Amino acid sequence: MTIAIYTDDSDMAHVLSYFFNETVCSVHARSELGGLPESGGGQAILAVGSPDEKDWFRLKRSVKQGTTTYLMIREPMTPLETVYAKEIGVREILMDPVARLRSKAAETPDKLISVLVCPGLYETAAGSELVYIGEGTYFHPKQFCIKYGSTRIELSEKEAALLSFFVENEGIVVTKHTIAEKLWGGYIQPDGISKVIARMKNKLGPARVLISSRQLGGFMYVKEREAAEYAVNAVTRRLK
C-alpha cells in the first residue's frame, strides 16, 4: 500500500521520500489532501511546520473519506490542538524526522546516539559464524572461506584448520612442532608447514600481514596491524 504525502515544504518532501522510499510513497501539494478523486482507504501524511485553519479542514475531509490520516509537524502543538486532532480522527501526530533528531542532539550527544543505535545488531552478530580476523577481513570456519569487500576466497580444509588454530592462539608464538602436532599429528616435514602457511597467507588478502614468522622459529597472528608490527619490532630488538 502506498503512502501519500501532502506538503509544500520541499525539504520535508525530499526527506520523507527518502525515508519511505519513492516506490511506496507519492508526494502531493498540501492543498490536495482529501480533494483527490480516488477517495477512501490508503494512508496519508500531511507534513507541515504547524497546521493552520485550512489544514484542519483538509485533515477532517481526508478522515471522512476513510483515509488513515497522519499529521506530521515540525513545531510543537498546543494541548488544545492535540485534543482537536484526536477528536477529528487523525490517527497519530508524527514528528518531522530531521526535527526529531535535532531535538535529541540538542539535549545531549548520548540522547542522539540512543536514537541512532541499530537495535539487536550486536545480538545478531554474536550468533554469526563469521569471524573478524582484522584488516577488514572475515573468516568463515565452517564454509572454509575468506571474505573481504566483495571478494570471497575458498580455503582448503587444512588451511581453514590452520587459520582457526592461529585465531585461537592470537598473540602467541606457535612453533612448527606445535602446529605439526595439533594439525598433522606430528607427521609432516617442517618445510611442508611453511609452504602451507605461505599458501594460506596468500589467500588472506589484506589480512596476510597479520601472520608473521619469527627469527627464533615459529609464527604469530595478531588481529591489529599496529600490534603485529610492534610484536615483530620487539623480537627484532631482543635479537640485537
Side-chain angles (χ1 to χ4, degrees):
M1 181 182 294
T2 60
I3 300 173
I5 298 168
Y6 297 86
T7 185
D8 291 338
D9 187 318
S10 58
D11 289 338
M12 291 181 85
H14 178 75
V15 169
L16 292 175
S17 295
Y18 176 80
F19 276 111
F20 285 113
N21 189 327
E22 293 180 357
T23 61
V24 297
C25 78
S26 56
V27 179
H28 309 272
R30 180 177 178 177
S31 60
E32 294 180 357
L33 178 64
L36 295 178
E38 56 275 15
S39 60
Q43 300 182 80
I45 298 175
L46 175 64
V48 296
S50 59
D52 58 24
E53 273 190 48
K54 292 182 179 179
D55 290 325
W56 289 116
F57 172 76
R58 293 163 185 149
L59 288 165
K60 285 194 291 184
R61 183 172 60 182
S62 177
V63 170
K64 285 183 179 179
Q65 290 178 341
T67 302
T68 301
T69 307
Y70 299 87
L71 171 60
M72 179 172 285
I73 56 171
R74 184 170 287 162
E75 304 295 331
M77 290 175 61
T78 66
L80 287 177
E81 287 176 325
T82 304
V83 170
Y84 185 61
K86 185 176 181 180
E87 286 181 352
I88 65 175
V90 172
R91 175 61 63 88
E92 292 287 354
I93 296 173
L94 312 176
M95 174 67 79
D96 168 22
V98 174
R100 184 172 182 82
L101 290 176
R102 283 176 179 165
S103 69
K104 290 296 180 183
E107 295 177 31
T108 65
D110 288 344
K111 285 284 187 181
L112 177 60
I113 289 171
S114 68
V115 172
L116 299 176
V117 164
C118 298
L121 201 57
Y122 274 172
E123 289 78 358
T124 301
S128 172
E129 294 180 340
L130 281 175
V131 177
Y132 181 67
I133 61 173
E135 295 296 309
T137 305
Y138 294 83
F139 169 45
H140 202 307
K142 293 187 177 179
Q143 293 185 8
F144 305 157
C145 70
I146 290 293
K147 295 180 180 179
Y148 53 91
S150 59
T151 302
R152 175 189 170 109
I153 298 177
E154 303 296 329
L155 300 175
S156 69
E157 184 175 352
K158 193 59 71 175
E159 288 167 346
L162 180 59
L163 182 54
S164 292
F165 183 70
F166 275 121
V167 171
E168 290 166 5
N169 293 276
E170 180 185 355
I172 300 173
V173 175
V174 290
T175 65
K176 292 181 180 179
H177 174 74
T178 302
I179 294 172
E181 286 292 328
K182 291 289 185 180
L183 302 182
W184 281 275
Y187 298 104
I188 185 172
Q189 294 295 323
D191 288 346
I193 293 175
S194 297
K195 290 178 181 177
V196 175
I197 292 175
R199 189 166 62 241
M200 179 198 69
K201 285 181 64 177
N202 286 335
K203 295 182 178 181
L204 299 185
R208 61 180 172 271
V209 298
L210 303 178
I211 298 177
S212 55
S213 58
R214 294 292 179 263
Q215 292 185 26
L216 293 179
F219 301 84
M220 186 171 72
Y221 156 75
V222 182
K223 186 182 294 185
E224 302 297 332
R225 173 179 280 186
E226 291 80 2
E229 291 173 349
Y230 176 82
V232 171
N233 293 335
V235 172
T236 302
R237 285 195 298 270
R238 285 199 297 270
L239 291 173
K240 290 181 178 180

